[in-house]
Every structure is written in C-alpha cells, then in structure tokens.
Amino acid sequence: MRVGIIGAGQLAQMLAMAARTMGISLVVQGPCGDDPAVAAASGWVPGPLGAPEAVQALADQVDVIGFENELVDLAPLRPLEQAGVVFRPSLDTLSTLMDKRRQRHVLQDLNIPVPTWVDLNEALTHPERLHDFDYPLMAKAASGGYDGRGLQTIDDAEALKAFAETVDTEDWYLERFVDFERELAMVGSRSVTGEARCYPLLETRQPGQVCTTVLAPASVPQDVEARAVTIVGSILQQLDYVGVLAVELFLAPEGLLVNELAPRTHNSGHLTIEACATSQFEQHLRALTGTSLGPTHLSTPGAVMVNLLGFEDSRKTYAHEQQALAALPGFHLHWYGKRVSRRGRKLGHVTRCLTGSTPAQRQQAVKESLAAVDRIWPVAQAMA
C-alpha cells in the first residue's frame, strides 16, 4: 500500500525511514520543501498543512492517509472522507482527541482517572468551584499546546485574574497541581482488525514541561504497568482507534492518572527504534496499511533516549556536535535537519541501549550516558 502523512516534521521523517525498510511508498504533505521528512519520503505534496486541496492531491497518490500531529483543522477534510478518502484513525475518532479538554470527558466516560480539573470560564464565573483546589494550579490550553507551550502555573487568585485577562478564556482549563512520584508514558497500537499491543511502560523526565529524557523500562511495580496496559487497551478499543497512540500518565499517591493522549507516534517512543523488536514507526505503518502488528517487547535490558534541544537561536548545522555524538560508543544519533535552532526546540535525539542486569546497574549507565551527552550537547542549558 501507499501511505500519505499530513505533516513533514521529524515524526514523519522517521515514518518515512521505516517505510523504506518495509517497501512502502510514503508521501508527505506540508508547506516547506526543506522540512525534515521531505528528503526521506517517496514524495511531497506542497501546500498549507491539511489544506483540503493539498490533501486531495495527496489522496490521489496514496491508499490511506495518517497524521503527524494534532495541528490540522479536520472539518474541511470531512467531505473528502465522505467521498471515500481513507483516514486512519478516522476523522471522528481523531476529532475526539484533538482537544485536551474533550479528552478529559472521554476518559471520564471510560472511568479512567484524570487529575481534578475545571473549565477556566466556569472557575471565573463560579469561584466556589475552586474550593477543592489548592494553589498553585496548572492552566492548560485545550488545543495547540506542546513542548511546554500552552501551560501556565497559577500561584494565587490574583495571578489567576491577571492570567485570565491575557488569554482567550474559552480555550483554557485549570487543573489541580499533581504531586506525582514519576511521569510515565505508554505507547499502544491497534490494527484495523482490533488487534492491540502495548510497549513497555516508559519513564519521562520533563523539567520545564519539555521532555528531555526517556528511560525504559520504567522503575515501577509490576501492578502499575499492568494497570497502564489496561488503561491504554481500553482507550484503543472504546475509540475504535487505528494506529499508534501515546498515553502520558502521572504516578500519583492516588494511583495512575492520565495526563493527556497523543493520537500519533510520540517522542517518548523514539527509543523503540533501537530498543524494541518493532519500532513505533513501523508499528504505525503496519496499522495504517492493515498489516498485523509486530512484537513490542524490549530487545535489550533497557534504554535511554535524550532529546537534543536547541540552546540558542541560530542557523548552525552543528556538524561538529553531530560527529561527536555519533562517535559516542553505543549511542545512536538521529538528527532531524531542521533549518533553525531555537531554545527548547527538538533538533534531534540520541538513544543508548543498556546492558545492565539490575535496575541499579542501568541507573548508573543512565547517569553516565547523560554526562557523556551533556559534555557535547548542553541539555541543561537548553532548559535554562
């Protein structure tokens, strides 16, 4: 089958690389010919992201269309779906997940625990609704937020009033600050026939609400991972979801809470390229093309992935840093080839598979890995 992807960033780039090894023709759609995925893909359809005429041109070249991110307006695409264009997941399924506030309603309908939350407008109109909350609060944008954007810590009532005067209050909600023990993620997948698989539970580290490091496996009791598998499987099944779906979780004193859902391949799953029997990108393509899903177990005792975040505004290629990172023994460098570096922007990542037989040995290897990367690429400085 021929696959189309709306979007041409690094996720589409890694999908295109996986497609090559699978013998799949993958065409991307996006506005810029020098976006990361264009050179790796079999073809490129120019045009504003998700514009109906561009998506129709994409549909003329492929059998099924998927999405790289949630930044696409789905409403103009519905006539195409009604005319026979195959989107996976379907637009109905995807539309329930594009808005984080709507995600919360879906999860609550499934009796899946989420942090206590309330619409910003409701809290402003009825201040008593905040009686069950303590400051600080987290304000979150219902749409468009990622990599720390669309998040704001609210320290007190005066700060809340000032914040409300600077945003469109319709698009924000408030969340009880979660005193979590760990931030976790699980990447799941579901096929056209309803087959579902989950990757091992991952631990993410996100200073400043931007993911810097992902560890596999997460150091949690077995029953926590089993609960995560149940949660992810329920979401996939109830939404009739097709493709890869990432679920971000908090391990809190009251148990696992779902933070948000990402209806696509996900940063937390990048280490599956080297560390798992089937990468998340191959798995997504398997699901989109109607192929049976691949095994998801770790093929190594553990792994660590470090995001290479921009630490300055520049147009450098960082050739020296790339060479040094690629030369680190046991490390695998993925460089996205973005034109511009900005502070906190994801420019690439490195993965190292770990061989330690005990959690303590793997944790020591993680510390050594982070130190080795930081000597070449100042991850901490990118978060300053």
Side-chain angles (χ1 to χ4, degrees), residues 307-354:
N307 277 323
L308 303 174
L309 303 173
F311 53 86
E312 61 182 351
D313 294 340
S314 80
R315 292 182 175 270
K316 297 178 184 177
T317 62
Y318 298 102
H320 173 75
E321 288 84 354
Q322 289 186 59
Q323 292 171 2
L325 289 165
L328 288 174
F331 285 75
H332 302 268
L333 171 65
H334 298 261
W335 188 256
Y336 306 149
K338 295 182 178 179
R339 304 179 304 279
V340 177
S341 169
R342 292 191 295 270
R343 186 175 294 276
R345 192 181 195 197
K346 293 171 182 172
L347 303 181
H349 74 268
V350 289
T351 299
R352 183 187 181 193
C353 293
L354 309 176

Side-chain angles (χ1 to χ4, degrees), residues 81-164:
E81 188 174 53
Q82 293 165 0
V85 175
V86 179
F87 294 99
R88 288 179 179 156
S90 70
L91 298 188
D92 278 347
T93 297
L94 200 57
S95 66
T96 65
L97 301 177
M98 298 286 258
D99 181 289
K100 294 183 177 68
R101 185 167 40 201
R102 194 177 303 170
Q103 287 182 14
R104 292 295 173 89
H105 289 294
V106 169
L107 292 166
Q108 289 174 316
D109 287 345
L110 296 176
N111 293 315
I112 293 174
V114 299
T116 304
W117 66 283
V118 63
D119 278 323
L120 176 56
N121 270 343
E122 186 176 351
L124 295 173
T125 306
H126 303 283
E128 68 274 10
R129 301 289 169 85
L130 291 178
H131 287 170
D132 293 334
F133 295 72
D134 292 320
Y135 288 100
L137 301 172
M138 289 299 296
K140 295 188 173 183
S143 59
Y146 66 98
D147 287 350
R149 301 172 182 85
L151 295 173
Q152 180 71 45
T153 302
I154 307 296
D155 291 323
D156 52 39
E158 286 300 314
L160 177 60
K161 180 180 178 181
F163 172 75

